[in-house]
């Protein structure tokens, strides 16, 4: 009797497992047909980080007691809603925003942790986003940062961004970005 019960339970569990596997397979097949072909896209834009003045787009929200005395500003956390434009001039056509944070995360070097969403607002990418997270070695001529995901036309995106400072003064840094992404 106990054996029979065990057998029945095993069969029921197996049936449930089979059903779940079949359902997962169905979802996977459905996802495949909707994803389309993998492609590579290249994006080029300029990022405007304005840290002071009436049009500031980046604001320090936190620091540590040691941040002021640290040669690298260690512990500083800045929130940004920076404009992305087609050309380097601030009056150039806006293509999106870089929304997120940058954190001074090294005690020895000017390294920033960048955690930013590129929110596109024009052309075919309007409404699509890319997520960038990684180390920005701010003093290097060209910095590489990983693109770890995306939404909209950039679903399942992965790639990298190359950044180079175009100009910098006491309030504004303009940075040129080339972004290469694999997506569907
Ligand atoms: C702020 O932006 C406005 C509108 O674009 C512009 O007229 C003004 O000159 C800017 N102010 C500063 C301090 O850059
Ligand atoms: C981007 O999409 C939004 C929401 O659909 C729309 O309101 C806006 O006009 C679009 N912008 C451009 C430049 O197409
Ligand atoms: C971006 O690509 C353009 C065209 O290939 C190139 O001239 C420029 O130096 C690149 N900039 C960066 C930061 O990679």
């Amino acid at each position: 009797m106990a054996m029979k019960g065990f057998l029945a339970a095993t069969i029921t569990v197996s049936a449930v497992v089979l059903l779940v596997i079949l359902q997962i397979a169905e979802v996977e097949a459905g996802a495949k047909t909707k994803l389309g072909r993998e492609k590579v896209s290249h994006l080029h834009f300029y990022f405007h980080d304005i840290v002071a003045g009436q049009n500031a787009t980046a604001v320090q929200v936190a620091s540590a007691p040691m941040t002021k005395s640290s040669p690298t500003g260690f512990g500083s956390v800045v929130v940004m809603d920076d404009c992305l434009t087609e050309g380097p001039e601030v009056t150039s056509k806006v293509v999106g925003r870089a929304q997120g944070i940058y954190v001074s995360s090294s005690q020895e070097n000017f390294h920033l942790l960048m955690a930013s969403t590129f929110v596109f607002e024009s052309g075919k990418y309007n409404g699509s986003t890319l997520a960038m997270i990684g180390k920005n070695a701010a003093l290097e001529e060209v910095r590489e940062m990983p693109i770890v995901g995306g939404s909209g036309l950039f679903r399942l995106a992965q790639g990298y961004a190359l950044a180079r400072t175009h100009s910098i003064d006491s309030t504004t840094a303009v940075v040129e970005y080339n972004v290469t992404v694999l997506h569907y």
Side-chain angles (χ1 to χ4, degrees):
M1 204 53 191
M3 192 59 191
K4 246 190 198 164
F6 175 72
L7 217 64
T10 308
I11 289 168
T12 309
V13 168
S14 305
V16 168
V17 167
L18 191 67
L19 205 68
V20 168
I21 288 171
L22 284 177
Q23 269 170 2
I24 288 171
E26 225 167 80
V27 168
E28 274 176 359
K32 244 177 223 153
T33 55
K34 271 183 215 140
L35 276 178
R37 242 204 213 125
E38 195 175 35
K39 48 189 163 288
V40 181
S41 293
H42 299 280
L43 308 171
H44 181 249
F45 50 78
Y46 290 83
F47 160 101
H48 300 260
D49 192 50
I50 309 174
V51 297
Q54 69 185 104
N55 297 333
T57 57
V59 61
Q60 187 183 49
V61 295
S63 63
M66 66 181 287
T67 299
K68 269 215 165 72
S69 59
S70 158
T72 62
F74 182 64
S76 164
V77 179
V78 175
V79 175
M80 65 179 158
D81 181 11
D82 285 351
C83 239
L84 304 176
T85 60
E86 239 170 43
E89 312 78 27
V90 74
T91 51
S92 171
K93 187 185 169 200
V94 174
V95 296
R97 326 274 314 173
Q99 297 173 336
I101 59 170
Y102 54 87
V103 178
S104 175
S105 55
S106 166
Q107 289 187 271
E108 281 174 12
N109 299 295
F110 285 103
H111 288 173
L112 303 172
L113 162 71
M114 302 281 290
S116 171
T117 312
F118 294 130
V119 180
F120 296 101
E121 293 174 353
S122 86
K124 69 169 172 170
Y125 298 124
N126 187 9
S128 297
T129 70
L130 283 174
M132 181 180 81
I133 186 161
K135 181 188 85 175
N136 182 349
L139 296 185
E140 272 172 30
E141 165 80 8
V142 177
R143 289 87 71 185
E144 178 175 338
M145 287 164 276
I147 300 290
V148 297
S151 68
L153 287 181
F154 293 124
R155 273 186 191 168
L156 296 177
Q158 50 180 323
Y160 61 94
L162 296 176
R164 178 193 277 122
T165 303
H166 176 267
S167 62
I168 190 160
D169 63 28
S170 59
T171 63
T172 307
V174 180
V175 182
E176 179 192 26
Y177 271 83
N178 278 327
V179 176
T180 302
V181 278
L182 264 175
H183 63 105
Y184 288 90

